[in-house]
Amino acid sequence: MSSASSSSKLCYNSECKELKSERPRKGWRLRTGDYAELCDRCVSVYEEGRFCETFHLNATGWRCCETCGKQVHCGCIVSSHAFTLLDPGGIECMKCARKNVLWTSNPAWPTSLCFNSLLPERLKDLSFKNWSQLAGSGPVPWRQAPSLFNSSVAAELQSRVPYEVDMSGGVNKLNASERLSTSSLEKKKIEDFSERLMNGSLKFGAREILENGNAGIKVEENHSSCLSQQSCSLKEEPSTPQFGLIVPHPSPNEANGQIGVSGTHLRATSTPMPKQFHGNLHSGVDLSGEAQVRNGRPRVDARGRNLLLPRYWPRFTDQELQQISGDSNSVITPLFEKMLSASDAGRIGRLVLPKKCAEAYFPPISQPEGLPLKVQDAKGKEWVFQFRFWPNNNSRMYVLEGVTPCIQAMQLQAGDIVTFSRLEPEGKLVMGFRKASTAPSSDQDNETNKNVNGISTHGDAELADPSSWYKVDKSGYIAKEVLGAKSSISRKRKNSTLRAKSKRVRIENEDLIELKITWEEAQGLLRPAPNHLPSVVVIEGFEFEEYEDAPVLGKPTIFATDDAGDKIQWVQCEDCFKWRKLPADALIPSKWTCSDNSWDPERSMCSAAQELTAEQLGHLLPHRNLAAAKKMKATRQDPDNVEALEGLDALANLAILGETESLPASSQATTKHPRHRPGCSCIVCIQPPSGKGPKHKQTCTCNVCLTVKRRFRTLMLRREKKQSEKEAETTRKKQQQQQQQPPLPEKLQDDDSVPCSNTGNNSPKHIREVNDVSDDEPNRMKSSSPFKGQIDLNIKPEREEELSPGSDSGGMMKLIQDATDRYLRQQRLSSSGGSGNSSGNQSQPNADGAGGEKLSNFVSLGSNRSDAIEDRPATISIKASTSTPG
DNA sequence: CATGAGCATGGAC
DNA sequence: CGTCCATGCTCAT
């Protein structure tokens, strides 16, 4: 940190020539990261913000603030923080800029990195050198590169090619980021903490700032000089949020990844606030609006960075940002993200970078060899990749080489998303990731599991809690967004991305179904962390309950009115799946079992009978849940089905409750079977290479496979028939009564029947069109449960698999569903002549897309049809109660 | 022969 | 039609 100027006894100000005092005072930050050491006089001038006025009055680069008209020296490193660029051109002094936080936040991230592209080649080379230098293993950490780069360019502009380019413009470009990093670097200096450990005073400082809202008082005081920022250093910190994201100090919970829907019970979407305020609140929830601002399409950018394809737009959630930033109160500048292709995730270790992103955010390289780039992951581990390019059709193809270790460390696979952002003030390039679905697929055709993308089409849910986002693929696999929640915007974007993606990708996406919860619904499930009282914070007139610990997601319940007219809610036991009646005002934790039933001691044990009959439950549950209700019923009655049904319910519960622990297993899916979707963790897919026994292909029609399948179906049919006989009768009656009417929501048969038409095609010879789903199961069955005295793993999945509802149990459930649906359909056909809207589609596996999806969704098995997503949000039994208004 | 580096190809947009 | 980029192909090691 010793100043570059420390070697000289003279004031760093070349106009000065005075001797520095014994303890020279620091002025602006130099390109090297050091600080200009000034004599007392100059430092005073500097600190008063009059440096440029005093010494650079005759220099070029003075411009007028578009707002107040004040002159700002834009061509100088000293005052490079004193202004910001205006979208339409021109500049604005910081004082004016601060008046509009939202506005000022924009220039921030695009500016810093795109600067070089605005420069002539010559300057690019200069910048390249800087980057090169920085990126190398030299003493200067790469993370400082951005600011250094910028500064150096500015300096170059000044000292070497001052007039070759539009200096003011160029310098302006540098401004935001420069300002950022400078202030933070100064801060860093002052605090003298290692970057990663700056949690103490720095954190405090940041908080303080946050609490003060628009601090920057100092800046305003010094406004007249337009140089104030430099002198403010730490005090100026408050301004940084304007240009990036202040990462709030994570609450313990958040830090632990429990963020869930973190934070206060805000109706965040309706309370857009300047970022500053957010730091004080747990970030999860309030962010929607913010996330949009922050992660959305890259804002205006003089260089057209916003021309980046939408699929590369960063869509960080606060949680992700938090993760990335770790403990520091750093400002994160999301740069871009990319979904890993099979190639990217493959062994080659080359990550193809989108050209525009590479050119915009990475150091310019002129040689194919490129340069080593240090990138830090969310855990703080630093990786060094070779950033280079290949000449390609008169263009370049940028790649990061050597990413394999990192990819592996992050356990990323094709379809997962890697994110790139920059941490300010450190300037670190940070690589985060977001698991698409935990599963990979390395199959060429399945390379990506687009859950992320495939998700939702409707943006109603601003669920900030990543843990509550699940997706279900065909095989019933539930994918959870590991790192972050998708804001609606991001989901929309993803969608569009999907559309833009290749067929391969699309195929994947179509298979995905997202379990959706609306924002309100999610909010409704929020529960304060136990034993934590909120403190009320008033921000801009809005009161917020703030909890020290992030709230947890409560268990979804069904509200109803009992016979006595009292408002009650039905909650399902985690263990026995029986529904228990509780007072309507009871707050149910995410995990609730009969033993927690303090309201009804008689039913505080799983052994106690359920008050609710299946039929009643059927009426209570949203129609989409009926099948689940039936399954539950079956479960209770038929121990043999328990596993599958448990899986179903667990799946449903998981979808809402955010139990991430059980997911990883499914995420380890392999791609041994091409048709298995990413995320498939069926017995086949997870089978170790050393697995014995032949692996049957999905299309295998060998006796074993057929027999197993047949047996299973028969079994399921029989049981299902028995168990739902009564219910079916009811259904039939209803149907008869309403033959000519469209299905009513509360009607059991419609939901069942529709699906069954499609999915119900149990005929063994079909691999229905939803064949990814059906294929999976047969495959699993075939391959894993050939006779030979082996356990049919498909039917009796290993415990481990049971715990992973998404995988195998999903397949089983599917079969069960099929059987059930088929049965019901038959019943209906026989009784009502196929009055069901789609009951006659049995022979057309795919024809009934909606129906099929409905079923699939219903059973949480996912659908392979995109229209399912559009048509009706796929929902899972319980989830239906919280599903978005489709 | 396996692997990796570099380049070419072709689909998608 | 041009660009981008995922992946294939070829050659060197």
Side-chain angles (χ1 to χ4, degrees):
Chain A
M1 289 297 249
S2 69
S3 161
S5 59
S6 61
S7 57
S8 167
K9 293 180 178 179
L10 295 178
C11 173
Y12 193 76
N13 177 13
S14 56
E15 307 286 324
C16 173
K17 311 298 183 191
E18 290 277 330
L19 285 175
K20 293 184 291 192
S21 62
E22 296 220 349
R23 297 196 59 182
R25 296 162 69 182
K26 291 174 182 174
W28 58 91
R29 190 176 62 80
L30 307 177
R31 286 173 294 161
T32 60
D34 295 329
Y35 289 77
E37 292 184 347
L38 306 173
C39 66
D40 290 343
R41 180 177 66 105
C42 288
V43 85
S44 295
V45 172
Y46 170 73
E47 289 179 351
E48 290 166 11
R50 297 182 290 108
F51 195 92
C52 287
E53 291 176 16
T54 305
F55 299 106
H56 302 158
L57 208 51
N58 295 325
T60 58
W62 287 89
R63 301 181 74 181
C64 293
C65 170
E66 297 290 335
T67 302
C68 68
K70 192 170 73 70
Q71 289 252 318
V72 180
H73 190 202
C74 302
C76 175
I77 188 173
V78 178
S79 55
S80 60
H81 295 68
F83 60 94
T84 187
L85 299 175
L86 293 177
D87 292 342
I91 59 108
E92 193 171 46
C93 71
M94 286 312 300
K95 179 177 181 179
C96 295
R98 285 173 196 284
K99 289 176 181 173
N100 186 346
V101 171
L102 289 180
W103 182 89
T104 53
S105 66
N106 293 343
W109 65 288
T111 45
S112 59
L113 288 165
C114 58
F115 175 63
N116 54 51
S117 65
L118 296 173
L119 299 174
E121 277 306 310
R122 179 177 161 195
L123 288 181
K124 281 188 178 181
D125 286 344
L126 291 174
S127 58
F128 165 70
K129 287 172 192 166
N130 288 322
W131 277 94
S132 227
Q133 215 173 13
L134 294 165
S137 53
V140 182
W142 183 86
R143 56 180 163 286
Q144 293 184 3
S147 54
L148 289 178
F149 166 62
N150 291 333
S151 314
S152 68
V153 172
E156 290 293 346
L157 286 169
Q158 271 189 305
S159 63
R160 297 175 56 175
V161 287
Y163 307 115
E164 284 189 9
V165 298
D166 177 349
M167 277 183 58
S168 56
V171 174
N172 275 341
K173 297 285 176 204
L174 301 176
N175 189 34
S177 64
E178 169 71 7
R179 186 171 109 305
L180 256 185
S181 17
T182 297
S183 64
S184 10
L185 282 177
E186 288 174 1
K187 175 178 70 180
K188 216 166 89 178
K189 266 191 171 182
I190 293 170
E191 299 295 337
D192 195 22
F193 276 141
S194 80
E195 312 124 8
R196 242 181 268 161
L197 295 178
M198 43 195 227
N199 43 6
S201 53
L202 271 186
K203 199 171 281 177
F204 174 76
R207 286 190 143 189
E208 205 172 37
I209 286 156
L210 291 171
E211 285 165 9
N212 290 337
N214 276 331
I217 297 167
K218 173 84 173 185
V219 173
E220 305 229 345
E221 289 171 355
N222 289 339
H223 163 60
S224 62
S225 75
C226 81
L227 298 177
S228 55
Q229 317 254 345
Q230 285 283 348
S231 58
C232 295
S233 73
L234 189 56
K235 294 168 202 159
E236 180 207 300
E237 183 64 17
S239 65
T240 55
Q242 299 172 2
F243 296 84
L245 306 169
I246 269 224
V247 179
H249 175 64
S251 73
N253 278 350
E254 288 169 328
N256 291 336
Q258 299 177 10
I259 312 172
V261 178
S262 73
T264 56
H265 294 197
L266 320 167
R267 295 287 171 169
T269 48
S270 60
T271 58
M273 298 181 294
K275 179 62 188 172
Q276 287 97 317
F277 294 120
H278 289 152
N280 227 8
L281 305 172
H282 294 299
S283 41
V285 172
D286 53 280
L287 340 129
S288 38
E290 214 135 21
Q292 293 177 17
V293 171
R294 155 183 350 133
N295 295 323
R297 175 193 184 101
R299 304 175 236 294
V300 189
D301 163 57
R303 180 198 171 194
R305 177 126 5 124
N306 55 359
L307 292 179
L308 291 183
L309 291 176
R311 64 170 172 266
Y312 302 127
W313 293 351
R315 307 166 302 129
F316 295 28
T317 62
D318 276 16
Q319 284 77 25
E320 289 174 303
L321 294 172
Q322 237 172 26
Q323 275 205 357
I324 292 169
S325 70
D327 287 340
S328 71
N329 281 292
S330 301
V331 174
I332 295 173
T333 301
L335 301 178
F336 67 95
E337 66 181 40
K338 191 207 174 195
M339 182 173 294
L340 293 180
S341 69
S343 303
D344 296 333
R347 287 184 185 176
I348 305 176
R350 297 188 297 208
L351 170 59
V352 174
L353 294 170
K355 186 185 175 195
K356 285 190 169 59
C357 297
E359 293 181 341
Y361 303 117
F362 287 0
I365 50 179
S366 55
Q367 301 299 319
E369 295 72 30
L371 15 115
L373 212 53
K374 285 186 181 177
V375 180
Q376 177 182 306
D377 66 19
K379 294 177 182 176
K381 179 174 174 55
E382 212 163 62
W383 304 87
V384 178
F385 305 131
Q386 187 72 19
F387 170 56
R388 56 171 310 174
F389 69 85
W390 304 321
N392 194 334
N393 291 340
N394 296 326
S395 181
R396 292 175 171 186
M397 189 163 175
Y398 290 91
V399 294
L400 276 185
E401 293 184 338
V403 299
T404 298
C406 179
I407 297 289
Q408 289 178 344
M410 293 176 174
Q411 297 185 317
L412 299 181
Q413 295 153 353
D416 293 338
I417 293 173
V418 292
T419 62
F420 289 90
S421 53
R422 207 165 21 160
L423 210 54
E424 307 289 1
E426 298 94 324
K428 288 179 184 171
L429 191 57
V430 181
M431 185 177 173
F433 66 92
R434 191 182 306 131
K435 298 287 266 183
S437 75
T438 48
S441 69
S442 41
D443 226 47
Q444 287 189 356
D445 282 340
N446 288 331
E447 73 207 349
T448 37
N449 181 343
K450 274 50 204 165
N451 317 15
V452 169
N453 298 344
I455 344 193
S456 71
T457 46
H458 57 284
D460 52 338
E462 281 293 341
L463 186 52
D465 175 6
S467 64
S468 58
W469 285 80
Y470 297 87
K471 287 129 203 148
V472 181
D473 74 6
K474 284 187 215 159
S475 57
Y477 169 74
I478 295 182
K480 172 182 177 271
E481 295 289 353
V482 171
L483 278 186
K486 306 281 158 266
S487 66
S488 65
I489 204 177
S490 65
R491 281 179 284 130
K492 286 174 185 170
R493 202 178 299 143
K494 274 300 185 180
N495 253 7
S496 65
T497 297
L498 261 184
R499 267 178 253 120
K501 291 298 262 181
S502 68
K503 238 183 242 169
R504 263 195 304 276
V505 171
R506 251 196 315 269
I507 290 171
E508 297 296 327
N509 291 325
E510 288 170 358
D511 295 339
L512 302 174
I513 289 189
E514 177 196 13
L515 296 172
K516 296 186 270 292
I517 298 180
T518 66
W519 171 250
E520 278 73 17
E521 287 162 350
Q523 287 282 305
L525 292 177
L526 289 180
R527 305 281 184 271
N531 304 322
H532 283 84
L533 295 177
S535 54
V536 177
V537 178
V538 180
I539 296 172
E540 291 188 341
F542 293 90
E543 281 193 5
F544 300 96
E545 287 181 351
E546 186 178 5
Y547 290 86
E548 279 302 310
D549 290 320
V552 298
L553 271 183
K555 187 177 183 66
T557 59
I558 301 172
F559 286 89
T561 303
D562 66 8
D563 297 338
D566 295 331
K567 289 189 176 180
I568 56 141
Q569 60 180 319
W570 292 96
V571 61
Q572 191 180 27
C573 171
E574 292 274 308
D575 295 334
C576 69
F577 304 106
K578 291 190 176 90
W579 289 84
R580 304 300 188 191
K581 183 167 70 178
L582 304 181
D585 58 352
L587 291 181
I588 312 303
S590 61
K591 290 192 173 187
W592 190 91
T593 61
C594 291
S595 61
D596 298 322
N597 189 0
S598 56
W599 294 271
D600 187 358
E602 291 185 4
R603 293 183 180 79
S604 61
M605 294 178 63
C606 291
S607 56
Q610 178 176 271
E611 297 178 71
L612 211 52
T613 66
E615 200 169 344
Q616 291 172 320
L617 182 58
H619 287 285
L620 281 174
L621 287 171
H623 62 288
R624 275 174 292 196
N625 289 341
L626 285 178
K630 281 169 54 179
K631 296 295 171 283
M632 274 176 23
K633 177 182 167 188
T635 298
R636 288 192 299 274
Q637 298 177 2
D638 187 344
D640 288 330
N641 283 342
V642 165
E643 285 173 359
L645 299 179
E646 277 182 359
L648 174 63
D649 288 318
L651 181 63
N653 289 336
L654 273 175
I656 296 179
L657 300 177
E659 296 173 6
T660 65
E661 304 79 25
S662 54
L663 291 173
S666 57
S667 70
Q668 299 307 319
T670 68
T671 55
K672 291 173 184 173
H673 281 216
R675 302 198 64 90
H676 284 223
R677 291 302 180 206
C680 174
S681 58
C682 73
I683 188 65
V684 174
C685 287
I686 66 171
Q687 195 172 13
S690 60
K692 296 161 191 170
K695 289 175 183 167
H696 297 234
K697 293 181 180 179
Q698 352 173 298
T699 54
C700 175
T701 54
C702 72
N703 283 338
V704 172
C705 294
L706 291 178
T707 302
V708 170
K709 189 159 64 175
R710 197 163 45 242
R711 284 180 58 200
F712 183 78
R713 283 178 178 153
T714 302
L715 177 67
M716 290 301 114
L717 262 176
R718 195 169 55 228
R719 289 174 178 164
E720 193 60 35
K721 183 175 181 177
K722 247 191 232 169
Q723 294 153 8
S724 56
E725 202 166 38
K726 185 176 178 180
E727 186 176 350
E729 282 180 9
T730 302
T731 295
R732 207 166 46 229
K733 288 177 185 175
K734 286 183 180 177
Q735 193 169 19
Q736 287 173 344
Q737 292 170 355
Q738 307 174 13
Q739 258 183 11
Q740 318 246 335
Q741 303 192 353
L744 296 179
E746 73 271 18
K747 285 182 65 183
L748 173 62
Q749 71 271 15
D750 283 321
D751 279 312
D752 286 338
S753 64
V754 171
C756 72
S757 62
N758 189 3
T759 327
N761 90 99
N762 296 315
S763 67
K765 70 175 185 179
H766 276 82
I767 288 194
R768 6 174 202 247
E769 198 252 359
V770 197
N771 74 37
D772 282 319
V773 172
S774 54
D775 274 357
D776 283 354
E777 302 122 14
N779 283 337
R780 279 195 285 269
M781 290 167 64
K782 295 172 204 166
S783 58
S784 59
S785 55
F787 297 170
K788 301 185 180 181
Q790 296 182 4
I791 293 178
D792 184 333
L793 294 175
N794 291 297
I795 295 177
K796 302 285 185 182
E798 300 164 356
R799 182 63 189 164
E800 188 177 341
E801 293 218 340
E802 292 174 23
L803 294 178
S804 176
S807 59
D808 207 33
S809 56
M812 288 177 42
M813 288 186 284
K814 174 75 172 181
L815 289 177
I816 294 169
Q817 183 69 42
D818 286 352
T820 304
D821 290 334
R822 186 180 185 184
Y823 169 76
L824 291 175
R825 186 179 55 74
Q826 289 170 346
Q827 295 282 321
R828 185 162 47 257
L829 281 174
S830 64
S831 64
S832 63
S835 63
N837 58 354
S838 59
S839 59
N841 287 341
Q842 182 180 11
S843 59
Q844 302 176 25
N846 338 327
D848 183 329
E853 280 114 37
K854 203 193 239 170
L855 171 67
S856 300
N857 300 345
F858 177 39
V859 204
S860 306
L861 293 175
S863 157
N864 66 341
R865 301 175 60 91
S866 58
D867 52 346
I869 295 172
E870 296 163 4
D871 267 354
R872 56 185 77 226
T875 45
I876 229 180
S877 56
I878 289 181
K879 193 218 162 202
S881 62
T882 59
S883 69
T884 66

